[in-house]
Amino acid sequence: MRTMSRAARCTSGADAQRSASRFFSSIQISIASDSASSSDVTLQPFHVLFLFRQPIAPGDESGGQVTCQGTARRWAELSGLEGAAFDAALREAVDRYAPDLVVLAGFMRLLGPAFIDHHSGRLLNIHPSLLPAFPGLRTHARALAAGATVHGATVHFVTRETDAGPIVIQAAVPVRRGDTPDVLSARVLKEEHRIYPLAIRWFAEGRLKLAGDRVLLDGAPRADQDLTSAPE
């Protein structure tokens, strides 16, 4: 088994362009073997490409699970494109970096079947609800309106059906009297910053796989495990 090195090595993508509305960070994480001694460590590169709508603020909020962060860059060639043309351009742009894993982080755009199928089993998303409850937008307001007592976040593999891909891990938070959507959102966001890096780490270590419509962690189906727990 491989583990994430805390001395991770990062590389960033192409130069910024001012005209685009979609951003990315191309990050190369170093993975060290469990059997390697501290004096003789062989680092294995693992390439993660993050896609998002707004630049990520500097700093590491991942709780040490992923210890490096790239620089936000713009993709000018995606500006003004829609539908299949956008998906084709995005696929071409992503493939230039040959990532091992593509991570959606507030990308806020529905991806077409061709892009999703091309990256099947290596495309992750995080959604601010305990799926299958409250797919789509305005999840915090909808949870409050529905009288939910528990809310949370879900990391899942992306499939053609929106917010319905196989679940990797969830984090639950209480809904408290007097909560507003903003207050509840902040509470959920703390858990998002915990479970998303964890899921990425599992994938990078080779522990997390998608087999058909089943998520496997350490060879065991996640459906048979506690999805709100975080195995070591």
Side-chain angles (χ1 to χ4, degrees):
M1 186 180 298
R2 299 182 300 174
T3 58
M4 192 79 68
S5 169
R6 289 188 177 271
R9 179 166 59 90
C10 299
T11 58
S12 295
D15 289 339
Q17 302 290 333
R18 294 182 180 274
S19 59
S21 60
R22 289 299 186 272
F23 296 79
F24 73 100
S25 283
S26 173
I27 294 179
Q28 192 157 293
I29 301 170
S30 294
I31 309 295
S33 170
D34 277 345
S35 60
S37 68
S38 59
S39 60
D40 184 22
V41 176
T42 301
L43 297 179
Q44 304 286 337
F46 184 89
H47 193 176
V48 183
L49 195 71
F50 292 85
L51 304 180
F52 46 96
R53 185 178 62 171
Q54 297 295 335
I56 299 173
D60 175 25
E61 301 181 36
S62 65
Q65 299 293 343
V66 177
T67 58
C68 67
Q69 189 170 55
T71 302
R73 306 291 184 183
R74 298 175 190 258
W75 264 326
E77 63 263 42
L78 303 183
S79 181
L81 297 179
E82 297 294 337
F86 177 90
D87 284 342
L90 180 63
R91 172 176 168 173
E92 181 179 350
V94 168
D95 283 352
R96 286 201 298 266
Y97 295 90
D100 298 293
L101 177 65
V102 179
V103 174
L104 305 181
F107 196 56
M108 300 299 290
R109 180 163 186 146
L110 296 179
L111 297 170
F115 183 89
I116 292 171
D117 291 349
H118 180 64
H119 294 94
S120 178
R122 54 191 180 98
L123 182 59
L124 288 178
N125 184 49
I126 191 163
H127 183 76
S129 79
L130 294 174
L131 292 172
F134 310 115
L137 302 175
R138 300 181 59 252
T139 61
H140 310 303
R142 289 162 57 204
L144 291 172
T149 58
V150 177
H151 192 41
T154 302
V155 178
H156 64 94
F157 282 98
V158 178
T159 58
R160 290 188 176 194
E161 187 176 353
T162 303
D163 296 331
I167 293 171
V168 174
I169 188 171
Q170 295 181 312
V173 301
V175 179
R176 297 173 179 150
R177 182 177 300 178
D179 274 350
T180 66
D182 286 345
V183 169
L184 185 55
S185 173
R187 191 175 304 133
V188 170
L189 187 61
K190 290 182 180 179
E191 292 302 305
E192 291 182 35
H193 288 172
R194 179 179 65 84
I195 64 172
Y196 215 3
L198 181 59
I200 294 167
R201 177 174 182 159
W202 288 342
F203 194 98
E205 292 175 340
R207 299 173 60 190
L208 178 66
K209 298 182 184 300
L210 182 63
D213 61 354
R214 297 193 309 160
V215 175
L216 303 180
L217 181 64
D218 297 330
R222 282 296 279 155
D224 296 340
Q225 305 176 38
D226 182 357
L227 293 175
T228 60
S229 69
E232 292 298 328

